[in-house]
Amino acid sequence: KRYLQALHSLERQYTADFVCDFIYGKTLDEYGINYYECALYKLLKREGCPELTPLICQFDYVMAKHMNAELKRTKTLVTGGDFCDFWYIKLK
């Protein structure tokens, strides 16, 4: 499902949406998503409060925990990265 969502995002049908790609892991218990455009960052910039974006980004770790997964991320768009890299590993 996430793979298909990523493929669809690359069509850039909606300018305010996410644009990402999906990376299959070595096992079924891991996968990655690279976000090249972030809908939340775009929204907060448009609303004049981009400084709130790092707070929203921290919520990704809470979501991963509730997905019973560990999130590893080394860079984000808001901190100057060329994309946000997400790597999920299912906890056992």
Side-chain angles (χ1 to χ4, degrees):
K1 182 178 177 180
R2 292 195 189 273
Y3 171 76
L4 292 175
Q5 290 172 333
L7 273 182
H8 184 67
S9 79
L10 296 173
E11 297 171 4
R12 291 180 162 83
Q13 184 176 1
Y14 305 105
T15 58
D17 206 351
F18 293 95
V19 176
C20 61
D21 62 15
F22 181 88
I23 303 110
Y24 284 99
K26 294 178 184 176
T27 71
L28 294 176
D29 291 333
E30 60 182 344
Y31 67 91
I33 303 175
N34 290 335
Y35 288 92
Y36 301 101
E37 295 181 25
C38 176
L40 298 171
Y41 185 45
K42 291 176 189 180
L43 172 65
L44 292 171
K45 278 176 52 174
R46 191 172 61 244
E47 294 298 321
C49 52
E51 68 278 3
L52 296 178
T53 311
L55 299 173
I56 301 296
C57 293
Q58 289 302 313
F59 188 67
D60 296 329
Y61 293 97
V62 175
M63 290 296 295
K65 179 181 176 185
H66 289 283
M67 293 168 37
N68 197 34
E70 176 186 0
L71 169 61
K72 294 184 179 186
R73 185 167 55 201
T74 63
K75 57 185 171 178
T76 63
L77 291 164
V78 74
T79 58
D82 49 342
F83 59 89
C84 300
D85 63 336
F86 287 67
W87 192 257
Y88 292 102
I89 303 168
K90 184 177 180 179
L91 298 174
K92 299 190 181 200

